[in-house]
Amino acid sequence: MLEWLWLIPALPFAGYVVLALAGARLSRTIVASVGVGSVGLSTALALATGFSFITSPQSNHVYSQTLWTWISVGNFTPTIAFYLDPLSLVMTLVVTFVSFFIHLYSSEFMIGDEGYSRFFAYMNLFVGSMLTLVLADNLLLLYLGWEGVGLCSYLLIGFWYQDPSNGRAARKAFIVTRVGDTAFAIGLFLLFTHLGTLQIQEVMQRAAQQWPMSSPLAVAAAALLLGGAVGKSAQLPLQTWLPDAMAGPTPVSALIHAATMVTAGVYLIARTHVLFSLAPAVQLTVAGIGAATLLLAGFSALSQRDIKRVLAYSTISQIGYMFLALGVGAWSAAIFHLMTHAFFKALLFLAAGVVILAMHEEHDMLKMGGLRRRLPLTFWTFLIGAASLSALPLVTAGFYSKDLILWSAWSSSSGSTWLWVAGLVGALLTSVYTFRMVFLTFFGEAKHDVTYRPGNRMRLTLIVLATLSLIAGLVELPHTLGGRAYFSEFMASALPALDYVRGDTRAELILQIVAGAVSVAGIYLAYLFFLRRRAIAESLARSSVGAALDRFWFAGWGFDWLYKKLFVGPYVWLARVNKDDFIDSIYDGIAKLNEVLYRALSVTESGKVRWYMTGIAFGAIVAIAIAVFL
C-alpha cells in the first residue's frame, strides 16, 4: 500500500479540480459526493497506508517516495517527494480523519448556502495543501503546502464575502500570517545558503555536523522558523488574527482550529527539532511563548460572549501548551496533545455550530440557555468535549495529554517550576471558561425557541468525535497508571525521547493529583459563579476593577489597538502623505503625453477627403525618401 502514498494528498486536490471546473453545474448531491468522497477515500487510503507501515516496518521506520524533479537549477534540485515516518503518519491520520468528518458534517450544515460547491472546492484544496505540508520530503514543498493553507484560510474565512467585516477578517488573517511566513522564507534561504540543501533530513544531518551548539547560524535559522510557526499557530505576538477568523462558517472554524492550519507551526518545530536543539536559547523562547500565550488567551476566553470566540481563544491557549512541550523537549507530548486536541476541539466547534443553527444564528451565550433538554445529543457530546478540554482526570483524552505536558515541564532538563506553574494556572483558567460556556449555553432558563435539529450526518460526526475525545488518551498512560507509553514508543524513531532530570513516580503521582484537583476546582468555580450564584459574578463584573479587566481581556489584551497605533496608523498616514510621490509623476507624465498625442491626432479627423489624400501622398513621399536616402 505504501506505493499509493501520493494518492493521499492527490485525491482532495482532484476533488478541488472537479468542483472548481464543474461544481456550479452539478447537483448538491453530486457536489457533496465529490467533496466528502474525495476526503473519505484519502482517509481510507491513509488508514490502509498506516496499517501497512506499522505491520511491515520499513528500514529505519521511514518510507520515501519521489515522484519527479520539481526544479533543477545548478545544485538546487528540489523534488516532488513524500516522506513517511511515525510523525508524518500521525499527522496524516489526524488531518484526514478529522477533515473527513468535518466534510461530512458540512454536507448537511451548508446545504442551504448558495456557495455550496465553492465551499467544498475550497475545503478540498485546504485538505490537499495540509497533507502536502505534513508529507513533504523537503522544506520547499512543505512551504508550498504552508502557503496553500494560508490561501485557503483567506478564502474560507471570507467565504461570506458580501459582508465587509468578513472580508476584513480574511485580510487580517492573510496579512498577519504573512509576517511569520516572511520569516520562514528567509529561514529557508539561510538554510540553503549555508547547508546546500532543503531536503529535511539532510538539513538536520548537516546542521548537526557543521554547526556547534548555540552557533549564530543555528540560532538565526531556528528563530526564523519559529517566526513562521508563531504566525501560523497564532502564538504571541501574532495571535490576533485567530479570534477574527470566526467570521467563516462553523465547519471552517473547526477545520482551521482543530487538525490543520494552526497546528502547522507545531509540526514545523517538531519536524526541525534538531535545529532547535542546537539553539537552546530559541528553544527556551518557544517554551516562554507557549506559557505566556496559554495564560493570556485563557484570561481573554473568560470575557468573551460569542461561543465561537471562546473556542478560538481556547485554541490559542491549547497550542500554547503544545509550544510549552516543544520548548522543554517533550516533542512526543506536543504531538500527543495535538492529536487529542484535534478530536475534542473539532467536536466543540461542530456542536457549537448545531447550537448556533438552533438559536437562529445567535452567537451570544448570554442570550442562550436551557438547551440541554432541547438538544440532548448536542449537550452530551459538547459536555464530553468540554470535559476533555478541561482535562477531567482519568476519563478524558485531554487529561492524559495535558498531564504529560505538565509533568514534562516540571521534570525535563529544559523545564522549570515556573513553567509548570504557568501550565497549572492555565489549566484552572481552561476549566473555568470552558464550563462557563457549558452552563451559560445549556443550563438556566431557555431564551429562544429551538426549531432546528441536527440530521444523521451531523449526529454521527458528533458521536464519533465524542468517543475519540474520551478514549484517544489511552495510547499514552503515565507510570502511575500502568506506564503504557505506546504513542511515545511509536514516535521514538522520529522524535528524541525526553531527558528527565528530576522527579520519580511518587512525584509524578503528586503532580497528577494536583493537576486533577485544579481541573475539578475550575469546574466547581464555573458552577458557582455562572450557574448557582451568577449574581456574584455579575457584581464583580460591574465593579470598577472588574469592568476594566473585562474590557481589557475582551479586547485580547489590547494587541489590536497596539498594532493599529504602531503599524497600521503610521502606514496609512505615510501612504496618504506619499500618494503623489515622484514615481507616480512618471506614470502621470506618460498618461498626460498620451492625452496630448490623442488631442493632436484627433484634429486630423476632419472628415474632409482631400486632406486625407494629401496626408497619404505626403506619407508616401516620406517613405520613398527614407528608402532612397537611407
Side-chain angles (χ1 to χ4, degrees), residues 261-456:
M261 180 173 167
V262 294
T263 60
V266 178
Y267 172 76
L268 175 66
I269 295 176
R271 175 55 77 196
T272 58
H273 64 271
V274 172
L275 292 176
F276 288 87
S277 298
L278 292 172
V282 179
Q283 188 173 349
L284 180 61
T285 302
V286 174
I289 288 173
T293 302
L294 71 90
L295 290 174
L296 266 67
F299 281 111
S300 290
L302 278 173
S303 297
Q304 303 304 309
R305 280 72 163 168
D306 186 325
I307 188 171
K308 287 177 64 177
R309 287 182 72 89
V310 175
L311 294 173
Y313 277 108
S314 169
T315 296
I316 297 173
S317 181
Q318 294 306 302
I319 295 177
Y321 275 102
M322 299 174 207
F323 268 61
L324 174 60
L326 295 169
V328 300
W331 313 103
S332 295
I335 302 302
F336 182 37
H337 193 56
L338 184 155
M339 180 186 73
T340 60
H341 175 264
F343 299 140
F344 64 70
K345 187 52 63 65
L347 170 62
L348 287 168
F349 267 111
L350 298 181
V354 175
V355 170
I356 291 168
L357 283 181
M359 299 295 289
H360 313 288
E361 298 300 325
E362 180 61 67
H363 289 231
D364 190 342
M365 295 183 298
L366 300 182
K367 298 179 181 178
M368 299 178 184
L371 295 179
R372 71 183 189 279
R373 292 189 179 90
R374 301 186 179 198
L375 296 170
L377 177 66
T378 303
F379 165 66
W380 285 109
T381 54
F382 193 96
L383 183 63
I384 289 171
S388 192
L389 173 58
S390 301
L392 192 66
L394 304 179
V395 296
T396 63
F399 165 75
Y400 295 99
S401 58
K402 189 177 290 186
D403 176 73
L404 183 57
I405 292 175
L406 291 174
W407 170 240
S408 301
W410 169 272
S411 60
S412 76
S413 57
S414 302
S416 72
T417 302
W418 289 110
L419 291 175
W420 176 78
V421 169
L424 199 65
V425 174
L428 177 65
L429 292 172
T430 301
S431 292
V432 174
Y433 71 66
T434 301
F435 275 84
R436 168 183 178 263
M437 181 170 51
V438 171
F439 294 135
L440 291 180
T441 303
F442 293 98
F443 289 79
E445 296 181 2
K447 299 180 178 67
H448 285 280
D449 292 331
V450 173
T451 58
Y452 175 82
R453 297 291 189 281
N456 290 332

Side-chain angles (χ1 to χ4, degrees), residues 81-427:
F82 300 118
Y83 183 87
L84 189 68
D85 69 348
L87 175 58
S88 57
L89 176 59
V90 168
M91 291 296 297
T92 299
L93 291 173
V94 170
V95 169
T96 54
F97 192 84
V98 175
S99 296
F100 167 69
F101 279 101
I102 292 174
H103 276 69
L104 181 65
Y105 174 101
S106 302
S107 65
E108 181 180 333
F109 184 91
M110 297 294 293
I111 193 65
D113 197 283
E114 62 181 10
Y116 196 68
S117 63
R118 178 167 58 91
F119 176 82
F120 278 104
Y122 293 165
M123 293 279 276
N124 278 192
L125 183 60
F126 199 124
V127 175
S129 297
M130 188 66 192
L131 290 170
T132 301
L133 189 160
V134 300
L135 287 170
D137 178 72
N138 61 80
L139 287 169
L140 187 62
L141 185 59
L142 186 154
Y143 190 73
L144 177 66
W146 185 276
E147 292 298 333
V149 296
L151 169 64
C152 292
S153 70
Y154 168 78
L155 296 173
L156 287 166
I157 293 169
F159 180 77
W160 289 318
Y161 58 85
Q162 296 88 347
D163 186 342
S165 63
N166 295 341
R168 285 193 295 271
R171 291 193 297 273
K172 182 178 181 180
F174 193 80
I175 293 168
V176 172
T177 55
R178 289 293 79 71
V179 176
D181 294 354
T182 301
F184 187 9
I186 296 172
L188 297 187
F189 285 116
L190 185 151
L191 289 172
F192 181 75
T193 301
H194 291 88
L195 299 178
T197 183
L198 288 179
Q199 204 277 338
I200 296 173
Q201 301 310 311
E202 289 186 14
V203 165
M204 300 302 105
Q205 293 172 6
R206 295 183 188 183
Q209 294 168 359
Q210 300 177 23
W211 292 348
M213 185 71 70
S214 298
S215 71
L217 287 175
V219 170
L224 289 167
L225 295 187
L226 174 59
V230 162
K232 197 67 78 179
S233 291
Q235 298 293 282
L236 284 170
L238 300 179
Q239 81 287 2
T240 58
W241 68 269
L242 196 58
D244 289 348
M246 298 301 94
T250 298
V252 172
S253 303
L255 190 66
I256 291 177
H257 291 226
T260 54
M261 180 173 167
V262 294
T263 60
V266 178
Y267 172 76
L268 175 66
I269 295 176
R271 175 55 77 196
T272 58
H273 64 271
V274 172
L275 292 176
F276 288 87
S277 298
L278 292 172
V282 179
Q283 188 173 349
L284 180 61
T285 302
V286 174
I289 288 173
T293 302
L294 71 90
L295 290 174
L296 266 67
F299 281 111
S300 290
L302 278 173
S303 297
Q304 303 304 309
R305 280 72 163 168
D306 186 325
I307 188 171
K308 287 177 64 177
R309 287 182 72 89
V310 175
L311 294 173
Y313 277 108
S314 169
T315 296
I316 297 173
S317 181
Q318 294 306 302
I319 295 177
Y321 275 102
M322 299 174 207
F323 268 61
L324 174 60
L326 295 169
V328 300
W331 313 103
S332 295
I335 302 302
F336 182 37
H337 193 56
L338 184 155
M339 180 186 73
T340 60
H341 175 264
F343 299 140
F344 64 70
K345 187 52 63 65
L347 170 62
L348 287 168
F349 267 111
L350 298 181
V354 175
V355 170
I356 291 168
L357 283 181
M359 299 295 289
H360 313 288
E361 298 300 325
E362 180 61 67
H363 289 231
D364 190 342
M365 295 183 298
L366 300 182
K367 298 179 181 178
M368 299 178 184
L371 295 179
R372 71 183 189 279
R373 292 189 179 90
R374 301 186 179 198
L375 296 170
L377 177 66
T378 303
F379 165 66
W380 285 109
T381 54
F382 193 96
L383 183 63
I384 289 171
S388 192
L389 173 58
S390 301
L392 192 66
L394 304 179
V395 296
T396 63
F399 165 75
Y400 295 99
S401 58
K402 189 177 290 186
D403 176 73
L404 183 57
I405 292 175
L406 291 174
W407 170 240
S408 301
W410 169 272
S411 60
S412 76
S413 57
S414 302
S416 72
T417 302
W418 289 110
L419 291 175
W420 176 78
V421 169
L424 199 65
V425 174

